[in-house]
PDB file of all heavy atoms in Angstrom:
ATOM      1  N   SER C 802     104.862  91.688  93.211  1.00  0.00           N
ATOM      2  CA  SER C 802     105.899  91.158  93.810  1.00  0.00           C
ATOM      3  C   SER C 802     106.121  89.811  93.181  1.00  0.00           C
ATOM      4  O   SER C 802     105.324  89.191  92.554  1.00  0.00           O
ATOM      5  CB  SER C 802     105.611  91.021  95.261  1.00  0.00           C
ATOM      6  OG  SER C 802     104.379  90.437  95.567  1.00  0.00           O
ATOM      7  N   THR C 803     107.406  89.354  93.341  1.00  0.00           N
ATOM      8  CA  THR C 803     107.711  88.072  92.700  1.00  0.00           C
ATOM      9  C   THR C 803     107.251  86.930  93.632  1.00  0.00           C
ATOM     10  O   THR C 803     106.899  87.093  94.713  1.00  0.00           O
ATOM     11  CB  THR C 803     109.264  87.896  92.614  1.00  0.00           C
ATOM     12  OG1 THR C 803     109.796  87.890  93.995  1.00  0.00           O
ATOM     13  CG2 THR C 803     109.872  89.081  91.953  1.00  0.00           C
ATOM     14  N   ALA C 804     107.127  85.736  92.898  1.00  0.00           N
ATOM     15  CA  ALA C 804     106.588  84.549  93.665  1.00  0.00           C
ATOM     16  C   ALA C 804     107.481  84.236  94.851  1.00  0.00           C
ATOM     17  O   ALA C 804     106.942  83.893  95.939  1.00  0.00           O
ATOM     18  CB  ALA C 804     106.665  83.339  92.697  1.00  0.00           C
ATOM     19  N   ARG C 805     108.723  84.501  94.822  1.00  0.00           N
ATOM     20  CA  ARG C 805     109.653  84.272  95.887  1.00  0.00           C
ATOM     21  C   ARG C 805     109.378  85.140  96.980  1.00  0.00           C
ATOM     22  O   ARG C 805     109.351  84.695  98.158  1.00  0.00           O
ATOM     23  CB  ARG C 805     111.074  84.473  95.273  1.00  0.00           C
ATOM     24  CG  ARG C 805     112.108  83.795  96.091  1.00  0.00           C
ATOM     25  CD  ARG C 805     113.507  84.411  95.611  1.00  0.00           C
ATOM     26  NE  ARG C 805     114.553  84.063  96.584  1.00  0.00           N
ATOM     27  CZ  ARG C 805     115.236  82.996  96.622  1.00  0.00           C
ATOM     28  NH1 ARG C 805     115.116  82.089  95.538  1.00  0.00           N
ATOM     29  NH2 ARG C 805     116.197  82.761  97.516  1.00  0.00           N
ATOM     30  N   GLU C 806     109.264  86.456  96.712  1.00  0.00           N
ATOM     31  CA  GLU C 806     108.862  87.366  97.806  1.00  0.00           C
ATOM     32  C   GLU C 806     107.608  87.088  98.459  1.00  0.00           C
ATOM     33  O   GLU C 806     107.487  87.119  99.665  1.00  0.00           O
ATOM     34  CB  GLU C 806     108.778  88.857  97.156  1.00  0.00           C
ATOM     35  CG  GLU C 806     110.060  89.518  96.921  1.00  0.00           C
ATOM     36  CD  GLU C 806     109.888  90.669  96.009  1.00  0.00           C
ATOM     37  OE1 GLU C 806     108.827  90.909  95.392  1.00  0.00           O
ATOM     38  OE2 GLU C 806     110.849  91.508  95.826  1.00  0.00           O
ATOM     39  N   ARG C 807     106.675  86.734  97.598  1.00  0.00           N
ATOM     40  CA  ARG C 807     105.302  86.416  98.210  1.00  0.00           C
ATOM     41  C   ARG C 807     105.355  85.149  99.106  1.00  0.00           C
ATOM     42  O   ARG C 807     104.860  85.172 100.218  1.00  0.00           O
ATOM     43  CB  ARG C 807     104.301  86.070  97.072  1.00  0.00           C
ATOM     44  CG  ARG C 807     103.878  87.214  96.292  1.00  0.00           C
ATOM     45  CD  ARG C 807     102.691  86.955  95.506  1.00  0.00           C
ATOM     46  NE  ARG C 807     102.757  85.723  94.547  1.00  0.00           N
ATOM     47  CZ  ARG C 807     103.176  85.912  93.325  1.00  0.00           C
ATOM     48  NH1 ARG C 807     103.317  87.080  92.751  1.00  0.00           N
ATOM     49  NH2 ARG C 807     103.176  84.805  92.470  1.00  0.00           N
ATOM     50  N   LYS C 808     106.146  84.138  98.737  1.00  0.00           N
ATOM     51  CA  LYS C 808     106.314  82.917  99.581  1.00  0.00           C
ATOM     52  C   LYS C 808     106.974  83.336 100.881  1.00  0.00           C
ATOM     53  O   LYS C 808     106.626  82.843 101.934  1.00  0.00           O
ATOM     54  CB  LYS C 808     107.075  81.832  98.917  1.00  0.00           C
ATOM     55  CG  LYS C 808     106.522  81.273  97.577  1.00  0.00           C
ATOM     56  CD  LYS C 808     105.744  80.022  97.874  1.00  0.00           C
ATOM     57  CE  LYS C 808     105.229  79.372  96.585  1.00  0.00           C
ATOM     58  NZ  LYS C 808     103.726  79.682  96.499  1.00  0.00           N
ATOM     59  N   GLY C 809     107.975  84.253 100.791  1.00  0.00           N
ATOM     60  CA  GLY C 809     108.670  84.622 102.011  1.00  0.00           C
ATOM     61  C   GLY C 809     107.792  85.368 102.969  1.00  0.00           C
ATOM     62  O   GLY C 809     107.808  85.042 104.178  1.00  0.00           O
ATOM     63  N   LEU C 810     106.869  86.255 102.445  1.00  0.00           N
ATOM     64  CA  LEU C 810     105.985  86.981 103.265  1.00  0.00           C
ATOM     65  C   LEU C 810     105.049  86.093 103.956  1.00  0.00           C
ATOM     66  O   LEU C 810     104.642  86.198 105.134  1.00  0.00           O
ATOM     67  CB  LEU C 810     105.298  88.136 102.473  1.00  0.00           C
ATOM     68  CG  LEU C 810     106.195  89.276 102.147  1.00  0.00           C
ATOM     69  CD1 LEU C 810     105.554  90.233 101.118  1.00  0.00           C
ATOM     70  CD2 LEU C 810     106.589  90.147 103.352  1.00  0.00           C
ATOM     71  N   ALA C 811     104.488  85.165 103.162  1.00  0.00           N
ATOM     72  CA  ALA C 811     103.498  84.234 103.591  1.00  0.00           C
ATOM     73  C   ALA C 811     104.139  83.321 104.752  1.00  0.00           C
ATOM     74  O   ALA C 811     103.499  83.104 105.741  1.00  0.00           O
ATOM     75  CB  ALA C 811     102.950  83.315 102.488  1.00  0.00           C
ATOM     76  N   ALA C 812     105.365  82.939 104.608  1.00  0.00           N
ATOM     77  CA  ALA C 812     106.046  82.104 105.529  1.00  0.00           C
ATOM     78  C   ALA C 812     106.183  82.855 106.898  1.00  0.00           C
ATOM     79  O   ALA C 812     106.013  82.336 108.021  1.00  0.00           O
ATOM     80  CB  ALA C 812     107.382  81.596 105.049  1.00  0.00           C
ATOM     81  N   THR C 813     106.590  84.189 106.713  1.00  0.00           N
ATOM     82  CA  THR C 813     106.727  85.038 107.898  1.00  0.00           C
ATOM     83  C   THR C 813     105.446  85.193 108.553  1.00  0.00           C
ATOM     84  O   THR C 813     105.292  85.157 109.882  1.00  0.00           O
ATOM     85  CB  THR C 813     107.258  86.446 107.511  1.00  0.00           C
ATOM     86  OG1 THR C 813     108.491  86.261 106.713  1.00  0.00           O
ATOM     87  CG2 THR C 813     107.555  87.315 108.658  1.00  0.00           C
ATOM     88  N   ALA C 814     104.303  85.356 107.904  1.00  0.00           N
ATOM     89  CA  ALA C 814     103.006  85.513 108.584  1.00  0.00           C
ATOM     90  C   ALA C 814     102.588  84.218 109.302  1.00  0.00           C
ATOM     91  O   ALA C 814     102.108  84.240 110.450  1.00  0.00           O
ATOM     92  CB  ALA C 814     101.919  85.853 107.440  1.00  0.00           C
ATOM     93  N   LEU C 815     102.902  83.103 108.718  1.00  0.00           N
ATOM     94  CA  LEU C 815     102.621  81.789 109.352  1.00  0.00           C
ATOM     95  C   LEU C 815     103.475  81.542 110.487  1.00  0.00           C
ATOM     96  O   LEU C 815     102.991  81.034 111.602  1.00  0.00           O
ATOM     97  CB  LEU C 815     102.741  80.588 108.387  1.00  0.00           C
ATOM     98  CG  LEU C 815     101.590  80.550 107.332  1.00  0.00           C
ATOM     99  CD1 LEU C 815     102.047  79.688 106.149  1.00  0.00           C
ATOM    100  CD2 LEU C 815     100.389  79.948 108.086  1.00  0.00           C
ATOM    101  N   GLU C 816     104.665  82.120 110.463  1.00  0.00           N
ATOM    102  CA  GLU C 816     105.540  82.083 111.716  1.00  0.00           C
ATOM    103  C   GLU C 816     104.883  82.827 112.862  1.00  0.00           C
ATOM    104  O   GLU C 816     104.912  82.390 113.965  1.00  0.00           O
ATOM    105  CB  GLU C 816     106.838  82.605 111.243  1.00  0.00           C
ATOM    106  CG  GLU C 816     108.029  82.045 112.116  1.00  0.00           C
ATOM    107  CD  GLU C 816     109.352  82.619 111.427  1.00  0.00           C
ATOM    108  OE1 GLU C 816     109.601  82.296 110.225  1.00  0.00           O
ATOM    109  OE2 GLU C 816     110.125  83.445 112.029  1.00  0.00           O
TER     110      GLU C 816
END
Side-chain angles (χ1 to χ4, degrees):
S802 45
T803 65
R805 200 192 163 90
E806 281 166 346
R807 290 197 301 264
K808 299 261 181 260
L810 290 169
T813 305
L815 282 163
E816 207 171 296

